[in-house]
Amino acid sequence: MSPSTLHETPQTAPPAPRAPDSAPAPVPTPGPRLTVARLRRLLLELVKFGVVGGSGVAVNLVVFNLLLHGLASGPMTATVLASCVAMGTNYLGFRFFAYRDRASRTKRQIALFFAFSGIGVAMESVLFYAAYHGADMSGPLGSNVAKALSIVLASAFRFLVYRTWVFQHDARRR
């Protein structure tokens, strides 16, 4: 071997030519899709909402019947007061059970909860009024059916606003 071959560098293939001024191909980002994990979390959230909501419905109906049939209050007074009592118990259930993993309690959260719950009470009251007076569901069974239907319909609104605006995920914990 000659001394010059010892110091020669091995030859490698030249780099592949690049197209002039071409932008790199965009990396596809996954679109919003419902994965099994997201579906499972949503289902668990619905179950927890249902547990708290179910206990709130029970409180609502017991107080309603106590006021309307036991203490002879007017139907609208009974429905509004029962809904307000249930609103308070629901806040505790949502805050400490259903949405306890969400953002910490703040004045804003409390204000939003009671503002949206107030809208829910108004919706529930209008629906109850329409069924009780408009559909003549004024007897003991009819008034309870009217009350239950009004609760169910207003609960769809409550679920959406509670999870979207009141009990939001804390972005810092993601």
Side-chain angles (χ1 to χ4, degrees):
M1 270 188 148
S2 73
S4 63
T5 49
L6 288 175
H7 296 309
E8 289 181 22
T9 57
Q11 296 218 344
T12 59
R18 255 182 67 148
D21 296 328
S22 66
V27 176
T29 57
R33 61 179 197 201
L34 199 58
T35 63
V36 174
R38 286 181 65 198
L39 187 61
R40 187 175 293 135
R41 281 193 307 270
L42 182 61
L43 184 61
L44 180 61
E45 183 180 341
L46 277 168
V47 168
K48 287 181 175 183
F49 184 88
V51 167
V52 173
S55 65
V57 168
V59 167
N60 202 330
L61 289 172
V62 167
V63 172
F64 171 75
N65 279 292
L66 177 67
L67 291 171
L68 182 63
H69 302 296
L71 299 175
S73 295
M76 293 311 294
T77 301
T79 196
V80 170
L81 288 176
S83 296
C84 289
V85 170
M87 180 191 329
T89 61
N90 282 353
Y91 177 77
L92 296 173
F94 288 130
R95 174 69 188 100
F96 296 107
F97 173 66
Y99 295 118
R100 73 173 179 241
D101 62 325
R102 303 266 175 120
S104 61
R105 183 184 62 125
T106 63
K107 289 178 184 176
R108 179 182 180 275
Q109 182 188 66
I110 294 168
L112 283 173
F113 178 85
F114 286 103
F116 285 128
S117 292
I119 293 168
V121 168
M123 289 172 64
E124 192 178 312
S125 299
V126 167
L127 293 166
F128 174 78
Y129 183 88
Y132 189 87
H133 294 290
D136 197 29
M137 299 175 86
S138 57
L141 178 61
S143 63
N144 279 286
V145 170
K147 181 68 173 165
L149 288 173
S150 67
I151 291 169
V152 168
L153 293 173
S155 292
F157 164 78
R158 290 180 180 119
F159 175 74
L160 291 174
V161 298
Y162 291 167
R163 77 180 308 267
T164 304
W165 289 294
V166 179
F167 298 104
Q168 297 174 338
H169 282 289
D170 188 349
R172 292 171 293 185
R173 285 191 253 169
R174 286 187 173 193

